[in-house]
Amino acid sequence: MSFTDDPIWIAKREALWEQCLDSRGWAEELSRKQVRDLHAYFMTGRLTKGEPKPVGARLNFFPDMNVEAIEYVLTHNMPEGATEKDVSSLKLFFSGGIDDVPGVKTEEAVRIFRYVFGDSYSPDWHLPFLIKDESTHRQSELDPNYQFACGLGPIRWLKYEDRPRGMWYYLTDYWFSLLNYVDPILFRPGDTSHRPPNVNRKITQNKARRFLGICAHEIDITNGADEGAERRQYMQNIRDRMDALEGPPDLMTLWDDVKKSDPDEFSEF
């Protein structure tokens, strides 16, 4: 942690803090004491009377984000007697929160994700870090529905020219490995028969349909400009891989439906 004493690093970190205060609304959402405590942790990585309390926040606001930093946090900055709820928070963070850590590079977020979850989905999962002084890795069920929803993240990049790709752009293989495990209701827009945990059913259903529709019709926000080449290649890749799938049935029905739909349905962003 000696890097937190480096004057150059401190200046850059303070600039990032001010940027986050403006862009993320922390000053409006938190009390002055919370902002003060969060700033101290943001700059030093040392907890102030257990603040911030949520486990995800202890990673999100830590002064660095890489595999080694995560190991440090889970060894030194976890609450005593970490519960399964804490482990669940970690799974949610690693699936969807790494990319949003202030200052993290997408390439590093991808590296962390692959270190934590591997290259393809497996329901038999354990946290690849030891918590505090524990001698065994935590075994835990891994929810494919939440990861599937996170994996729809590139839709923002496809819809808006000024949005970054995000880490799930690089995790296409992993996203496809989820599809046979996802609750089929998420492939059936409008079906309200039940609610899978950890996801907003309606939002995920609609986003999945829109994501597949954009890729099926290769709707290009750049209108064929050179800078849109990467987007067009990405959409073609998704289309080719979807066409090569043989299941699950509800997903194939959704895919056939979006391909037959009017492209204008998906071009209105």
Side-chain angles (χ1 to χ4, degrees):
M1 297 299 294
S2 59
F3 66 90
T4 61
D5 296 323
D6 177 62
I8 296 176
W9 180 89
I10 290 173
K12 291 180 178 179
R13 189 70 173 170
E14 285 286 8
L16 180 60
W17 170 259
E18 293 299 328
Q19 176 187 328
C20 289
L21 280 182
D22 292 338
S23 63
R24 304 193 182 202
W26 295 344
E28 289 75 27
E29 296 173 3
L30 305 174
S31 69
R32 288 185 180 181
K33 182 180 184 305
Q34 287 174 316
V35 170
R36 186 169 61 251
D37 290 344
L38 189 60
H39 176 257
Y41 186 72
F42 189 86
M43 297 300 299
T44 67
R46 292 190 290 272
L47 292 171
T48 305
K49 296 181 180 179
E51 294 292 346
K53 286 185 171 61
V55 169
R58 297 183 185 195
L59 286 168
N60 191 67
F61 299 110
F62 192 71
D64 199 7
M65 180 47 56
N66 52 51
V67 170
E68 294 74 21
I70 292 168
E71 186 172 28
Y72 180 94
V73 172
L74 299 189
T75 300
H76 300 284
N77 289 1
M78 283 287 282
E80 293 293 338
T83 65
E84 285 307 306
K85 184 177 179 181
D86 293 323
V87 175
S88 294
S89 295
L90 291 173
K91 287 185 293 186
L92 298 182
F93 173 80
F94 291 131
S95 296
I98 316 171
D99 229 4
D100 197 44
V101 171
V104 73
K105 294 182 178 179
T106 298
E107 294 80 2
E108 188 62 36
V110 172
R111 188 171 83 90
I112 293 169
F113 181 97
R114 288 176 173 154
Y115 182 87
V116 172
F117 295 119
D119 294 319
S120 61
Y121 174 78
S122 173
D124 299 322
W125 179 82
H126 69 268
L127 182 68
F129 301 97
L130 294 175
I131 298 177
K132 283 193 171 293
D133 57 356
E134 295 181 3
S135 59
T136 58
H137 294 89
R138 294 287 189 105
Q139 301 289 326
S140 186
E141 183 179 352
L142 191 57
D143 181 8
N145 301 308
Y146 180 76
Q147 291 191 312
F148 170 75
C150 292
L152 297 171
I155 193 175
R156 294 189 295 270
W157 174 66
L158 294 173
K159 289 170 61 176
Y160 306 106
E161 291 187 73
D162 60 345
R163 295 296 178 88
R165 301 178 193 87
M167 74 175 185
W168 278 96
Y169 168 89
Y170 300 96
L171 297 171
T172 301
D173 288 345
Y174 190 95
W175 187 76
F176 272 90
S177 78
L178 292 166
L179 300 181
N180 285 320
Y181 299 91
V182 172
D183 190 323
I185 196 173
L186 298 182
F187 305 139
R188 301 194 296 264
D191 187 340
T192 61
S193 58
H194 65 277
R195 296 182 178 183
N198 298 322
V199 295
N200 183 303
R201 180 198 60 230
K202 182 178 180 180
I203 290 176
T204 305
Q205 288 171 334
N206 292 340
K207 187 180 288 187
R209 177 181 171 80
R210 182 163 291 277
F211 174 74
L212 293 177
I214 290 171
C215 293
H217 298 288
E218 296 184 40
I219 297 172
D220 178 15
I221 189 67
T222 70
N223 295 314
D226 290 345
E227 59 267 25
E230 189 175 9
R231 285 179 171 87
R232 293 190 292 274
Q233 183 59 53
Y234 175 83
M235 290 186 284
Q236 182 62 55
N237 179 44
I238 297 295
R239 182 185 176 104
D240 290 346
R241 294 187 66 160
M242 288 299 302
D243 281 340
L245 288 180
E246 297 180 355
D250 290 286
L251 177 59
M252 295 296 90
T253 297
L254 175 61
W255 180 240
D256 287 339
D257 176 62
V258 299
K259 287 198 295 184
K260 295 173 183 175
S261 298
D262 186 343
D264 288 344
E265 175 188 344
F266 307 102
S267 60
E268 296 180 1
F269 297 144

